[in-house]
Amino acid sequence: MYLAYSVLLALALVLSLPYWLIQMITHHKYRAGFKERFGILPARLKKDTERSAIWVHAVSVGEVLAVAGLIEKIPDRLAGHQIFVSTTTDTGQRLAREKFGPGNVFYFPLDFAFAIRPYLRFLRPELVVIAETEFWPNFLRLCRGSDAKVVIVNARISDRSFRGYRRIRTLLRRILRPIDLFLAQTEEDRKRLIDIGAPADRARAVGNLKFDLAAPVPPAIVESLRATIARVKAGPVIVAGSTMEGEEALLLRAFEIVRSTRPRAVLILAPRHPQRFAEVASLVESLGIVCWRRSLWSGEDPAGCVLLLDSIGELGPVYSLAQLAFVGGSLVEHGGHNILEPARYGVPIVIGPHYENFREMVNSFRQANAIRVVGPAELPLVFGELLTNEKERQSLGDSALKALRSQSGATGQTLQALEAVLEKT
């Protein structure tokens, strides 16, 4: 099976080569870490030969943020280990290097034995921790062959992934065999893991690590914006984060309606993908709305304008400026994004009807009257209603913060489980 998989993967890579080359030439994507993905270790990696290694894999920014609190607490509970972090995306790589130091961070190799083995030989990890659901067959097999324990943490199975996994669950049972423990976000995720092939005695639900994240130290831009907004008496502030293609036009239409009665309102708009920054800026300007890019903003009056957050890793603290937050990927059929960042600041949250990837989280907030779910047509009305009704807005934000705090504790349970796995080595 593994030989056939490797051949098919190589064939897919060759056939898709023109796409990758075009992306590298036109958008400068995938250039960073190119050699690392093919198994060439970067010189910056520094291994302490006196300590065992723990390899944590976090695909992108969301996963890096999810495991950040866990990684910070590992030295206290699992003393004597050096932690290395791999990511797949460039944005995740930048954030991981910033948080954990470039000497401990690298790009995840392609799922070929020749690319994986150099890392396993160099790191000799005692434990491999994979955030959410990255089931790479060769990687899992080779980890087992190197005597590393493998644990999936913060695991979740979206509706779309579940449908796909179920079609190949006969193969998945074998692929998942090397994994020592599956720590799921919810009971539903645990059941889905078992359904697709995880042994029932190795799967448990411990909660979502993201509920335990502390609010990050705000970057300078946040306080600069806060001071400017107060000085020029701009507002109210709406922060629309992690927006996807097709959503910005709807949000801008709603913002124009808000401006008709609140001309000093501010919309802070944060597209999910950096490659769309220029496209979204052009869209804003085409509607006759002044657009300031965060990278170029130097204290100008933002009243009645859109501030485009063309940066990475700053969205969370920016939510603290908002009187109202919208979390994207939910007005279009994308499955939604993490709602916990605005909840952490007690900000009232609005999302669209497509939140399948965060169903359990959103439903728990809905049951606590801690979120508003609306369709595209209702968006301007709900924005107007909440901006007018301060009492309702305050209640919604307070309920969001309570809902978040009520579900904390996953980090402690995860650390305890990792300790137990290591004790078996």
Side-chain angles (χ1 to χ4, degrees), residues 2 32 138 332 411:
Y2 289 101
N138 282 329
V332 294
T411 302

Side-chain angles (χ1 to χ4, degrees), residues 203 216 281 314 395:
E314 293 182 335
S395 174

Side-chain angles (χ1 to χ4, degrees), residues 221-239 264-268 292 297-307 317-323:
I221 186 65
V222 174
E223 294 312 312
S224 179
L225 273 168
R226 195 188 308 278
T228 300
I229 288 167
R231 175 173 54 82
V232 301
K233 295 181 172 56
V237 178
I238 301 170
V239 176
R264 298 194 65 74
V266 179
L267 175 62
I268 300 178
W292 293 105
W297 184 78
S298 55
E300 294 83 357
D301 186 348
C305 304
V306 170
L307 180 75
V318 166
Y319 276 121
S320 69
L321 302 172
Q323 276 73 59

Side-chain angles (χ1 to χ4, degrees), residues 122-397:
F122 177 75
L123 299 178
R124 288 179 295 155
E126 185 178 3
L127 176 66
V128 174
V129 177
I130 303 172
E132 301 200 1
T133 46
E134 283 280 287
F135 301 143
W136 292 106
N138 282 329
F139 179 67
L140 294 173
R141 175 178 62 88
L142 291 169
C143 284
R144 170 59 75 192
S146 69
D147 294 327
K149 296 291 185 180
V150 181
V151 178
I152 305 291
V153 302
N154 220 42
R156 68 182 178 96
I157 308 289
S158 68
D159 292 352
R160 184 181 303 174
S161 297
F162 186 50
R163 288 192 294 270
Y165 286 145
R166 290 197 76 193
R167 295 189 189 102
I168 58 168
R169 56 183 167 183
T170 301
L171 288 174
L172 271 175
R173 284 192 179 90
R174 184 174 177 185
I175 292 169
L176 300 180
R177 198 178 301 157
I179 299 173
D180 295 273
L181 187 62
F182 301 80
L183 300 177
Q185 293 183 14
T186 68
E187 183 61 24
E188 179 64 23
D189 291 314
R190 186 190 75 85
K191 290 177 181 176
R192 289 185 172 190
L193 283 165
I194 295 169
D195 198 325
I196 66 172
D201 61 343
R202 297 189 211 166
R204 74 177 78 149
V206 297
N208 189 335
L209 292 173
K210 292 180 180 178
F211 280 99
D212 291 344
L213 291 176
V217 176
I221 186 65
V222 174
E223 294 312 312
S224 179
L225 273 168
R226 195 188 308 278
T228 300
I229 288 167
R231 175 173 54 82
V232 301
K233 295 181 172 56
V237 178
I238 301 170
V239 176
S242 300
T243 60
M244 306 294 291
E245 185 175 2
E247 291 186 310
E248 290 91 4
L250 297 169
L251 288 159
L252 289 168
R253 192 173 302 126
F255 180 57
E256 287 183 302
I257 294 171
V258 168
R259 284 199 311 167
S260 67
T261 55
R262 298 169 178 81
R264 298 194 65 74
V266 179
L267 175 62
I268 300 178
L269 191 55
R272 177 73 171 181
H273 298 124
Q275 62 267 29
R276 297 190 61 245
F277 290 158
E279 169 195 335
V280 175
S282 296
L283 173 63
V284 176
E285 290 165 355
S286 72
L287 296 173
I289 304 173
V290 175
C291 181
W292 293 105
R293 294 184 68 145
R294 174 260 182 268
S295 57
L296 301 175
W297 184 78
S298 55
E300 294 83 357
D301 186 348
C305 304
V306 170
L307 180 75
L308 183 68
L309 197 64
D310 58 346
S311 58
I312 302 298
E314 293 182 335
L315 175 60
V318 166
Y319 276 121
S320 69
L321 302 172
Q323 276 73 59
L324 188 60
F326 172 83
V327 179
S330 56
L331 284 174
V332 294
E333 294 184 9
H334 185 78
H337 289 303
N338 180 19
I339 62 173
L340 299 183
E341 289 182 322
R344 195 163 285 117
Y345 297 97
V347 176
I349 306 164
V350 177
I351 64 171
H354 303 288
Y355 56 87
E356 298 81 12
N357 292 345
F358 295 86
R359 184 197 313 100
E360 295 292 329
M361 183 188 294
V362 171
N363 284 343
S364 69
F365 272 57
R366 294 186 79 173
Q367 290 170 9
N369 296 315
I371 196 168
R372 294 287 288 273
V373 180
V374 302
E378 304 166 89
L379 190 65
L381 299 173
V382 172
F383 276 7
E385 174 198 335
L386 289 174
L387 291 174
T388 300
N389 191 335
E390 184 177 356
K391 184 177 180 181
E392 172 63 17
R393 205 168 64 239
Q394 186 67 47
S395 174
L396 197 62

